[in-house]
Amino acid sequence: MFKTIADPADCEVRSVIWFSNAKKVKPAEIHFQLVEIYGENVMIDGMVKKWVRQFNDGRTNVHDEARSGRPSVVNDGLIAKVNEKIRENRRFTIRIIFDEFPQISKTVLHEIFTNRLNYRKLCSRWVPKMLTDVHKTK
């Protein structure tokens, strides 16, 4: 029995497919070997066949190709401006900040508050998550 490798990188699995395909191993056997080494959830049989077909068509790159996507409007400068608005008035709603920054959706603003700036709502006031003892006594 082989040692199972957990959570492999996609390019690692594709490299195995590329190598096995170069040795003229059939896609079904490649899939069987992948499942044997990487576990059941590594890749479905259809995807193995798709990658074998792409490698047979001349593809040599095992990494993902760059895809166009929607550029993020959130940057460090914008986060700093949002933080300034929060510090001006801690008793705000997301709707008030949304009126100040209409280019950002409410869900992205909430993500900035909670994940980027580490604020949370406490007694109708936004405060930093990491409170010191001095903050707690105030």
Side-chain angles (χ1 to χ4, degrees), residues 86-117:
I86 292 171
R87 296 216 179 248
E88 286 175 12
N89 178 15
R90 295 276 176 106
R91 295 180 188 270
F92 69 91
T93 61
I94 293 178
R95 171 62 113 184
I96 293 171
I97 300 295
F98 176 70
D99 292 339
E100 297 285 329
F101 301 97
Q103 73 271 22
I104 306 174
S105 69
K106 292 176 192 165
T107 54
V108 173
L109 278 173
H110 189 269
E111 186 265 333
I112 289 172
F113 300 151
T114 56
N115 296 343
R116 300 276 182 102
L117 296 174

PDB file of all heavy atoms in Angstrom, residues 86-117:
ATOM      1  N   ILE A  86     -14.547  56.031   9.816  1.00  0.00           N
ATOM      2  CA  ILE A  86     -14.989  55.283  10.999  1.00  0.00           C
ATOM      3  C   ILE A  86     -14.529  55.993  12.261  1.00  0.00           C
ATOM      4  O   ILE A  86     -15.280  56.116  13.226  1.00  0.00           O
ATOM      5  CB  ILE A  86     -14.435  53.843  10.956  1.00  0.00           C
ATOM      6  CG1 ILE A  86     -15.078  53.070   9.816  1.00  0.00           C
ATOM      7  CG2 ILE A  86     -14.674  53.129  12.273  1.00  0.00           C
ATOM      8  CD1 ILE A  86     -14.444  51.715   9.562  1.00  0.00           C
ATOM      9  N   ARG A  87     -13.298  56.469  12.265  1.00  0.00           N
ATOM     10  CA  ARG A  87     -12.761  57.117  13.467  1.00  0.00           C
ATOM     11  C   ARG A  87     -13.431  58.464  13.738  1.00  0.00           C
ATOM     12  O   ARG A  87     -13.462  58.912  14.871  1.00  0.00           O
ATOM     13  CB  ARG A  87     -11.261  57.281  13.332  1.00  0.00           C
ATOM     14  CG  ARG A  87     -10.558  55.933  13.249  1.00  0.00           C
ATOM     15  CD  ARG A  87      -9.255  55.959  13.941  1.00  0.00           C
ATOM     16  NE  ARG A  87      -8.626  54.659  13.854  1.00  0.00           N
ATOM     17  CZ  ARG A  87      -8.451  53.881  14.892  1.00  0.00           C
ATOM     18  NH1 ARG A  87      -8.864  54.246  16.072  1.00  0.00           N
ATOM     19  NH2 ARG A  87      -7.854  52.719  14.757  1.00  0.00           N
ATOM     20  N   GLU A  88     -13.962  59.119  12.692  1.00  0.00           N
ATOM     21  CA  GLU A  88     -14.687  60.372  12.894  1.00  0.00           C
ATOM     22  C   GLU A  88     -15.974  60.136  13.686  1.00  0.00           C
ATOM     23  O   GLU A  88     -16.332  60.933  14.541  1.00  0.00           O
ATOM     24  CB  GLU A  88     -15.037  61.012  11.545  1.00  0.00           C
ATOM     25  CG  GLU A  88     -13.880  61.640  10.836  1.00  0.00           C
ATOM     26  CD  GLU A  88     -14.277  62.150   9.461  1.00  0.00           C
ATOM     27  OE1 GLU A  88     -15.489  62.214   9.151  1.00  0.00           O
ATOM     28  OE2 GLU A  88     -13.362  62.491   8.686  1.00  0.00           O
ATOM     29  N   ASN A  89     -16.679  59.087  13.347  1.00  0.00           N
ATOM     30  CA  ASN A  89     -17.950  58.786  14.019  1.00  0.00           C
ATOM     31  C   ASN A  89     -18.082  57.279  14.129  1.00  0.00           C
ATOM     32  O   ASN A  89     -18.351  56.596  13.152  1.00  0.00           O
ATOM     33  CB  ASN A  89     -19.121  59.357  13.215  1.00  0.00           C
ATOM     34  CG  ASN A  89     -20.451  59.021  13.848  1.00  0.00           C
ATOM     35  OD1 ASN A  89     -20.530  58.607  15.003  1.00  0.00           O
ATOM     36  ND2 ASN A  89     -21.507  59.195  13.091  1.00  0.00           N
ATOM     37  N   ARG A  90     -17.899  56.751  15.341  1.00  0.00           N
ATOM     38  CA  ARG A  90     -17.983  55.301  15.540  1.00  0.00           C
ATOM     39  C   ARG A  90     -19.418  54.802  15.500  1.00  0.00           C
ATOM     40  O   ARG A  90     -19.666  53.632  15.358  1.00  0.00           O
ATOM     41  CB  ARG A  90     -17.362  54.921  16.881  1.00  0.00           C
ATOM     42  CG  ARG A  90     -15.887  55.172  16.984  1.00  0.00           C
ATOM     43  CD  ARG A  90     -15.114  54.015  16.395  1.00  0.00           C
ATOM     44  NE  ARG A  90     -13.700  54.258  16.393  1.00  0.00           N
ATOM     45  CZ  ARG A  90     -12.854  53.676  17.211  1.00  0.00           C
ATOM     46  NH1 ARG A  90     -13.274  52.838  18.109  1.00  0.00           N
ATOM     47  NH2 ARG A  90     -11.570  53.941  17.124  1.00  0.00           N
ATOM     48  N   ARG A  91     -20.388  55.685  15.666  1.00  0.00           N
ATOM     49  CA  ARG A  91     -21.796  55.280  15.643  1.00  0.00           C
ATOM     50  C   ARG A  91     -22.361  55.504  14.247  1.00  0.00           C
ATOM     51  O   ARG A  91     -23.162  56.397  14.018  1.00  0.00           O
ATOM     52  CB  ARG A  91     -22.595  56.075  16.675  1.00  0.00           C
ATOM     53  CG  ARG A  91     -22.185  55.784  18.089  1.00  0.00           C
ATOM     54  CD  ARG A  91     -23.013  56.606  19.058  1.00  0.00           C
ATOM     55  NE  ARG A  91     -22.505  56.488  20.394  1.00  0.00           N
ATOM     56  CZ  ARG A  91     -22.896  55.575  21.260  1.00  0.00           C
ATOM     57  NH1 ARG A  91     -23.812  54.704  20.918  1.00  0.00           N
ATOM     58  NH2 ARG A  91     -22.386  55.527  22.466  1.00  0.00           N
ATOM     59  N   PHE A  92     -21.937  54.678  13.349  1.00  0.00           N
ATOM     60  CA  PHE A  92     -22.366  54.805  11.967  1.00  0.00           C
ATOM     61  C   PHE A  92     -23.050  53.513  11.536  1.00  0.00           C
ATOM     62  O   PHE A  92     -22.964  52.494  12.206  1.00  0.00           O
ATOM     63  CB  PHE A  92     -21.178  55.090  11.052  1.00  0.00           C
ATOM     64  CG  PHE A  92     -20.237  53.921  10.920  1.00  0.00           C
ATOM     65  CD1 PHE A  92     -20.411  52.988   9.919  1.00  0.00           C
ATOM     66  CD2 PHE A  92     -19.195  53.751  11.805  1.00  0.00           C
ATOM     67  CE1 PHE A  92     -19.568  51.912   9.802  1.00  0.00           C
ATOM     68  CE2 PHE A  92     -18.340  52.674  11.695  1.00  0.00           C
ATOM     69  CZ  PHE A  92     -18.530  51.747  10.700  1.00  0.00           C
ATOM     70  N   THR A  93     -23.707  53.604  10.436  1.00  0.00           N
ATOM     71  CA  THR A  93     -24.246  52.411   9.802  1.00  0.00           C
ATOM     72  C   THR A  93     -23.513  52.216   8.477  1.00  0.00           C
ATOM     73  O   THR A  93     -22.876  53.145   7.968  1.00  0.00           O
ATOM     74  CB  THR A  93     -25.756  52.540   9.528  1.00  0.00           C
ATOM     75  OG1 THR A  93     -25.959  53.640   8.649  1.00  0.00           O
ATOM     76  CG2 THR A  93     -26.529  52.763  10.812  1.00  0.00           C
ATOM     77  N   ILE A  94     -23.613  51.040   7.958  1.00  0.00           N
ATOM     78  CA  ILE A  94     -22.967  50.767   6.680  1.00  0.00           C
ATOM     79  C   ILE A  94     -23.582  51.648   5.604  1.00  0.00           C
ATOM     80  O   ILE A  94     -22.901  52.089   4.683  1.00  0.00           O
ATOM     81  CB  ILE A  94     -23.072  49.272   6.339  1.00  0.00           C
ATOM     82  CG1 ILE A  94     -22.225  48.481   7.341  1.00  0.00           C
ATOM     83  CG2 ILE A  94     -22.622  48.997   4.913  1.00  0.00           C
ATOM     84  CD1 ILE A  94     -22.262  47.004   7.169  1.00  0.00           C
ATOM     85  N   ARG A  95     -24.851  51.964   5.736  1.00  0.00           N
ATOM     86  CA  ARG A  95     -25.546  52.828   4.776  1.00  0.00           C
ATOM     87  C   ARG A  95     -24.905  54.220   4.741  1.00  0.00           C
ATOM     88  O   ARG A  95     -24.729  54.809   3.671  1.00  0.00           O
ATOM     89  CB  ARG A  95     -27.020  52.931   5.166  1.00  0.00           C
ATOM     90  CG  ARG A  95     -27.797  53.946   4.389  1.00  0.00           C
ATOM     91  CD  ARG A  95     -27.817  53.629   2.953  1.00  0.00           C
ATOM     92  NE  ARG A  95     -29.154  53.280   2.534  1.00  0.00           N
ATOM     93  CZ  ARG A  95     -29.413  52.889   1.316  1.00  0.00           C
ATOM     94  NH1 ARG A  95     -28.445  52.770   0.447  1.00  0.00           N
ATOM     95  NH2 ARG A  95     -30.622  52.601   0.954  1.00  0.00           N
ATOM     96  N   ILE A  96     -24.525  54.763   5.902  1.00  0.00           N
ATOM     97  CA  ILE A  96     -23.892  56.085   5.957  1.00  0.00           C
ATOM     98  C   ILE A  96     -22.542  56.062   5.245  1.00  0.00           C
ATOM     99  O   ILE A  96     -22.224  56.947   4.449  1.00  0.00           O
ATOM    100  CB  ILE A  96     -23.736  56.553   7.418  1.00  0.00           C
ATOM    101  CG1 ILE A  96     -25.115  56.808   8.034  1.00  0.00           C
ATOM    102  CG2 ILE A  96     -22.862  57.793   7.510  1.00  0.00           C
ATOM    103  CD1 ILE A  96     -25.089  57.072   9.525  1.00  0.00           C
ATOM    104  N   ILE A  97     -21.744  55.041   5.514  1.00  0.00           N
ATOM    105  CA  ILE A  97     -20.445  54.933   4.856  1.00  0.00           C
ATOM    106  C   ILE A  97     -20.623  54.656   3.366  1.00  0.00           C
ATOM    107  O   ILE A  97     -19.851  55.135   2.536  1.00  0.00           O
ATOM    108  CB  ILE A  97     -19.591  53.834   5.525  1.00  0.00           C
ATOM    109  CG1 ILE A  97     -19.346  54.160   7.004  1.00  0.00           C
ATOM    110  CG2 ILE A  97     -18.253  53.656   4.810  1.00  0.00           C
ATOM    111  CD1 ILE A  97     -18.518  55.394   7.252  1.00  0.00           C
ATOM    112  N   PHE A  98     -21.655  53.891   3.009  1.00  0.00           N
ATOM    113  CA  PHE A  98     -21.939  53.606   1.604  1.00  0.00           C
ATOM    114  C   PHE A  98     -22.237  54.892   0.839  1.00  0.00           C
ATOM    115  O   PHE A  98     -21.840  55.050  -0.318  1.00  0.00           O
ATOM    116  CB  PHE A  98     -23.112  52.633   1.488  1.00  0.00           C
ATOM    117  CG  PHE A  98     -23.535  52.348   0.080  1.00  0.00           C
ATOM    118  CD1 PHE A  98     -22.725  51.600  -0.760  1.00  0.00           C
ATOM    119  CD2 PHE A  98     -24.737  52.828  -0.413  1.00  0.00           C
ATOM    120  CE1 PHE A  98     -23.107  51.323  -2.063  1.00  0.00           C
ATOM    121  CE2 PHE A  98     -25.132  52.559  -1.713  1.00  0.00           C
ATOM    122  CZ  PHE A  98     -24.313  51.808  -2.541  1.00  0.00           C
ATOM    123  N   ASP A  99     -22.924  55.845   1.485  1.00  0.00           N
ATOM    124  CA  ASP A  99     -23.199  57.126   0.838  1.00  0.00           C
ATOM    125  C   ASP A  99     -21.914  57.912   0.587  1.00  0.00           C
ATOM    126  O   ASP A  99     -21.823  58.677  -0.374  1.00  0.00           O
ATOM    127  CB  ASP A  99     -24.166  57.949   1.694  1.00  0.00           C
ATOM    128  CG  ASP A  99     -25.559  57.339   1.738  1.00  0.00           C
ATOM    129  OD1 ASP A  99     -25.886  56.542   0.830  1.00  0.00           O
ATOM    130  OD2 ASP A  99     -26.312  57.653   2.685  1.00  0.00           O
ATOM    131  N   GLU A 100     -20.912  57.727   1.451  1.00  0.00           N
ATOM    132  CA  GLU A 100     -19.623  58.399   1.281  1.00  0.00           C
ATOM    133  C   GLU A 100     -18.778  57.750   0.182  1.00  0.00           C
ATOM    134  O   GLU A 100     -17.994  58.416  -0.485  1.00  0.00           O
ATOM    135  CB  GLU A 100     -18.835  58.381   2.597  1.00  0.00           C
ATOM    136  CG  GLU A 100     -19.482  59.132   3.730  1.00  0.00           C
ATOM    137  CD  GLU A 100     -19.348  60.634   3.563  1.00  0.00           C
ATOM    138  OE1 GLU A 100     -18.343  61.088   2.984  1.00  0.00           O
ATOM    139  OE2 GLU A 100     -20.263  61.343   4.024  1.00  0.00           O
ATOM    140  N   PHE A 101     -18.911  56.424   0.031  1.00  0.00           N
ATOM    141  CA  PHE A 101     -18.126  55.667  -0.941  1.00  0.00           C
ATOM    142  C   PHE A 101     -19.060  54.861  -1.845  1.00  0.00           C
ATOM    143  O   PHE A 101     -19.180  53.648  -1.698  1.00  0.00           O
ATOM    144  CB  PHE A 101     -17.158  54.710  -0.223  1.00  0.00           C
ATOM    145  CG  PHE A 101     -16.189  55.391   0.685  1.00  0.00           C
ATOM    146  CD1 PHE A 101     -16.431  55.479   2.051  1.00  0.00           C
ATOM    147  CD2 PHE A 101     -15.037  55.960   0.176  1.00  0.00           C
ATOM    148  CE1 PHE A 101     -15.532  56.104   2.888  1.00  0.00           C
ATOM    149  CE2 PHE A 101     -14.137  56.594   1.012  1.00  0.00           C
ATOM    150  CZ  PHE A 101     -14.392  56.672   2.373  1.00  0.00           C
ATOM    151  N   PRO A 102     -19.724  55.512  -2.802  1.00  0.00           N
ATOM    152  CA  PRO A 102     -20.696  54.789  -3.632  1.00  0.00           C
ATOM    153  C   PRO A 102     -20.068  53.787  -4.603  1.00  0.00           C
ATOM    154  O   PRO A 102     -20.755  52.928  -5.122  1.00  0.00           O
ATOM    155  CB  PRO A 102     -21.407  55.904  -4.394  1.00  0.00           C
ATOM    156  CG  PRO A 102     -20.432  57.022  -4.410  1.00  0.00           C
ATOM    157  CD  PRO A 102     -19.647  56.917  -3.130  1.00  0.00           C
ATOM    158  N   GLN A 103     -18.754  53.875  -4.825  1.00  0.00           N
ATOM    159  CA  GLN A 103     -18.109  52.950  -5.750  1.00  0.00           C
ATOM    160  C   GLN A 103     -17.906  51.567  -5.138  1.00  0.00           C
ATOM    161  O   GLN A 103     -17.563  50.625  -5.848  1.00  0.00           O
ATOM    162  CB  GLN A 103     -16.768  53.509  -6.243  1.00  0.00           C
ATOM    163  CG  GLN A 103     -15.643  53.506  -5.222  1.00  0.00           C
ATOM    164  CD  GLN A 103     -15.577  54.751  -4.371  1.00  0.00           C
ATOM    165  OE1 GLN A 103     -16.555  55.462  -4.217  1.00  0.00           O
ATOM    166  NE2 GLN A 103     -14.419  55.019  -3.806  1.00  0.00           N
ATOM    167  N   ILE A 104     -18.137  51.438  -3.833  1.00  0.00           N
ATOM    168  CA  ILE A 104     -17.945  50.164  -3.141  1.00  0.00           C
ATOM    169  C   ILE A 104     -19.305  49.639  -2.712  1.00  0.00           C
ATOM    170  O   ILE A 104     -20.124  50.381  -2.168  1.00  0.00           O
ATOM    171  CB  ILE A 104     -17.054  50.337  -1.893  1.00  0.00           C
ATOM    172  CG1 ILE A 104     -15.737  51.005  -2.257  1.00  0.00           C
ATOM    173  CG2 ILE A 104     -16.790  49.009  -1.240  1.00  0.00           C
ATOM    174  CD1 ILE A 104     -14.892  51.339  -1.067  1.00  0.00           C
ATOM    175  N   SER A 105     -19.544  48.349  -2.909  1.00  0.00           N
ATOM    176  CA  SER A 105     -20.815  47.761  -2.489  1.00  0.00           C
ATOM    177  C   SER A 105     -20.850  47.629  -0.970  1.00  0.00           C
ATOM    178  O   SER A 105     -19.819  47.661  -0.293  1.00  0.00           O
ATOM    179  CB  SER A 105     -21.007  46.390  -3.131  1.00  0.00           C
ATOM    180  OG  SER A 105     -20.089  45.468  -2.586  1.00  0.00           O
ATOM    181  N   LYS A 106     -22.044  47.446  -0.441  1.00  0.00           N
ATOM    182  CA  LYS A 106     -22.204  47.318   1.006  1.00  0.00           C
ATOM    183  C   LYS A 106     -21.520  46.065   1.535  1.00  0.00           C
ATOM    184  O   LYS A 106     -20.944  46.085   2.625  1.00  0.00           O
ATOM    185  CB  LYS A 106     -23.684  47.301   1.362  1.00  0.00           C
ATOM    186  CG  LYS A 106     -24.370  48.615   1.112  1.00  0.00           C
ATOM    187  CD  LYS A 106     -25.848  48.503   1.383  1.00  0.00           C
ATOM    188  CE  LYS A 106     -26.564  49.727   0.857  1.00  0.00           C
ATOM    189  NZ  LYS A 106     -27.984  49.545   0.762  1.00  0.00           N
ATOM    190  N   THR A 107     -21.575  44.992   0.775  1.00  0.00           N
ATOM    191  CA  THR A 107     -20.930  43.761   1.244  1.00  0.00           C
ATOM    192  C   THR A 107     -19.417  43.909   1.278  1.00  0.00           C
ATOM    193  O   THR A 107     -18.766  43.401   2.194  1.00  0.00           O
ATOM    194  CB  THR A 107     -21.317  42.568   0.347  1.00  0.00           C
ATOM    195  OG1 THR A 107     -21.016  42.884  -1.007  1.00  0.00           O
ATOM    196  CG2 THR A 107     -22.783  42.239   0.478  1.00  0.00           C
ATOM    197  N   VAL A 108     -18.845  44.614   0.308  1.00  0.00           N
ATOM    198  CA  VAL A 108     -17.404  44.843   0.311  1.00  0.00           C
ATOM    199  C   VAL A 108     -17.032  45.783   1.453  1.00  0.00           C
ATOM    200  O   VAL A 108     -16.005  45.589   2.116  1.00  0.00           O
ATOM    201  CB  VAL A 108     -16.925  45.394  -1.049  1.00  0.00           C
ATOM    202  CG1 VAL A 108     -15.471  45.808  -1.007  1.00  0.00           C
ATOM    203  CG2 VAL A 108     -17.145  44.365  -2.139  1.00  0.00           C
ATOM    204  N   LEU A 109     -17.865  46.781   1.727  1.00  0.00           N
ATOM    205  CA  LEU A 109     -17.610  47.654   2.876  1.00  0.00           C
ATOM    206  C   LEU A 109     -17.628  46.859   4.176  1.00  0.00           C
ATOM    207  O   LEU A 109     -16.764  47.049   5.034  1.00  0.00           O
ATOM    208  CB  LEU A 109     -18.654  48.773   2.934  1.00  0.00           C
ATOM    209  CG  LEU A 109     -18.407  49.978   2.041  1.00  0.00           C
ATOM    210  CD1 LEU A 109     -19.601  50.914   2.070  1.00  0.00           C
ATOM    211  CD2 LEU A 109     -17.152  50.712   2.447  1.00  0.00           C
ATOM    212  N   HIS A 110     -18.595  45.983   4.316  1.00  0.00           N
ATOM    213  CA  HIS A 110     -18.660  45.166   5.537  1.00  0.00           C
ATOM    214  C   HIS A 110     -17.433  44.273   5.646  1.00  0.00           C
ATOM    215  O   HIS A 110     -16.877  44.094   6.739  1.00  0.00           O
ATOM    216  CB  HIS A 110     -19.936  44.321   5.541  1.00  0.00           C
ATOM    217  CG  HIS A 110     -20.160  43.638   6.840  1.00  0.00           C
ATOM    218  ND1 HIS A 110     -19.681  42.385   7.095  1.00  0.00           N
ATOM    219  CD2 HIS A 110     -20.791  44.046   7.975  1.00  0.00           C
ATOM    220  CE1 HIS A 110     -20.015  42.036   8.324  1.00  0.00           C
ATOM    221  NE2 HIS A 110     -20.683  43.028   8.876  1.00  0.00           N
ATOM    222  N   GLU A 111     -16.959  43.739   4.525  1.00  0.00           N
ATOM    223  CA  GLU A 111     -15.754  42.914   4.528  1.00  0.00           C
ATOM    224  C   GLU A 111     -14.536  43.754   4.927  1.00  0.00           C
ATOM    225  O   GLU A 111     -13.666  43.285   5.659  1.00  0.00           O
ATOM    226  CB  GLU A 111     -15.551  42.300   3.138  1.00  0.00           C
ATOM    227  CG  GLU A 111     -14.417  41.300   3.057  1.00  0.00           C
ATOM    228  CD  GLU A 111     -13.112  41.911   2.589  1.00  0.00           C
ATOM    229  OE1 GLU A 111     -13.151  42.913   1.856  1.00  0.00           O
ATOM    230  OE2 GLU A 111     -12.063  41.399   2.983  1.00  0.00           O
ATOM    231  N   ILE A 112     -14.474  45.015   4.485  1.00  0.00           N
ATOM    232  CA  ILE A 112     -13.376  45.910   4.881  1.00  0.00           C
ATOM    233  C   ILE A 112     -13.422  46.151   6.381  1.00  0.00           C
ATOM    234  O   ILE A 112     -12.399  46.094   7.064  1.00  0.00           O
ATOM    235  CB  ILE A 112     -13.442  47.240   4.101  1.00  0.00           C
ATOM    236  CG1 ILE A 112     -13.077  47.029   2.638  1.00  0.00           C
ATOM    237  CG2 ILE A 112     -12.508  48.285   4.718  1.00  0.00           C
ATOM    238  CD1 ILE A 112     -13.294  48.245   1.767  1.00  0.00           C
ATOM    239  N   PHE A 113     -14.622  46.424   6.918  1.00  0.00           N
ATOM    240  CA  PHE A 113     -14.748  46.682   8.356  1.00  0.00           C
ATOM    241  C   PHE A 113     -14.296  45.486   9.179  1.00  0.00           C
ATOM    242  O   PHE A 113     -13.529  45.618  10.128  1.00  0.00           O
ATOM    243  CB  PHE A 113     -16.195  46.991   8.755  1.00  0.00           C
ATOM    244  CG  PHE A 113     -16.801  48.185   8.082  1.00  0.00           C
ATOM    245  CD1 PHE A 113     -18.153  48.243   7.864  1.00  0.00           C
ATOM    246  CD2 PHE A 113     -16.024  49.245   7.672  1.00  0.00           C
ATOM    247  CE1 PHE A 113     -18.727  49.323   7.242  1.00  0.00           C
ATOM    248  CE2 PHE A 113     -16.593  50.343   7.053  1.00  0.00           C
ATOM    249  CZ  PHE A 113     -17.946  50.378   6.837  1.00  0.00           C
ATOM    250  N   THR A 114     -14.805  44.320   8.821  1.00  0.00           N
ATOM    251  CA  THR A 114     -14.596  43.143   9.671  1.00  0.00           C
ATOM    252  C   THR A 114     -13.282  42.430   9.414  1.00  0.00           C
ATOM    253  O   THR A 114     -12.601  42.039  10.366  1.00  0.00           O
ATOM    254  CB  THR A 114     -15.748  42.145   9.489  1.00  0.00           C
ATOM    255  OG1 THR A 114     -15.852  41.800   8.113  1.00  0.00           O
ATOM    256  CG2 THR A 114     -17.054  42.721   9.985  1.00  0.00           C
ATOM    257  N   ASN A 115     -12.901  42.255   8.150  1.00  0.00           N
ATOM    258  CA  ASN A 115     -11.710  41.459   7.843  1.00  0.00           C
ATOM    259  C   ASN A 115     -10.445  42.283   7.693  1.00  0.00           C
ATOM    260  O   ASN A 115      -9.390  41.871   8.163  1.00  0.00           O
ATOM    261  CB  ASN A 115     -11.934  40.641   6.564  1.00  0.00           C
ATOM    262  CG  ASN A 115     -13.035  39.627   6.732  1.00  0.00           C
ATOM    263  OD1 ASN A 115     -13.434  39.298   7.840  1.00  0.00           O
ATOM    264  ND2 ASN A 115     -13.550  39.131   5.631  1.00  0.00           N
ATOM    265  N   ARG A 116     -10.545  43.414   7.023  1.00  0.00           N
ATOM    266  CA  ARG A 116      -9.333  44.204   6.770  1.00  0.00           C
ATOM    267  C   ARG A 116      -8.978  45.095   7.959  1.00  0.00           C
ATOM    268  O   ARG A 116      -7.823  45.204   8.341  1.00  0.00           O
ATOM    269  CB  ARG A 116      -9.512  45.071   5.529  1.00  0.00           C
ATOM    270  CG  ARG A 116      -9.782  44.322   4.259  1.00  0.00           C
ATOM    271  CD  ARG A 116      -8.485  43.858   3.621  1.00  0.00           C
ATOM    272  NE  ARG A 116      -8.717  43.176   2.374  1.00  0.00           N
ATOM    273  CZ  ARG A 116      -8.546  43.721   1.182  1.00  0.00           C
ATOM    274  NH1 ARG A 116      -8.159  44.965   1.069  1.00  0.00           N
ATOM    275  NH2 ARG A 116      -8.775  43.015   0.096  1.00  0.00           N
ATOM    276  N   LEU A 117      -9.991  45.765   8.533  1.00  0.00           N
ATOM    277  CA  LEU A 117      -9.730  46.693   9.636  1.00  0.00           C
ATOM    278  C   LEU A 117      -9.963  46.061  11.002  1.00  0.00           C
ATOM    279  O   LEU A 117      -9.683  46.690  12.024  1.00  0.00           O
ATOM    280  CB  LEU A 117     -10.613  47.945   9.480  1.00  0.00           C
ATOM    281  CG  LEU A 117     -10.331  48.790   8.236  1.00  0.00           C
ATOM    282  CD1 LEU A 117     -11.350  49.912   8.111  1.00  0.00           C
ATOM    283  CD2 LEU A 117      -8.929  49.361   8.283  1.00  0.00           C
TER     284      LEU A 117
END
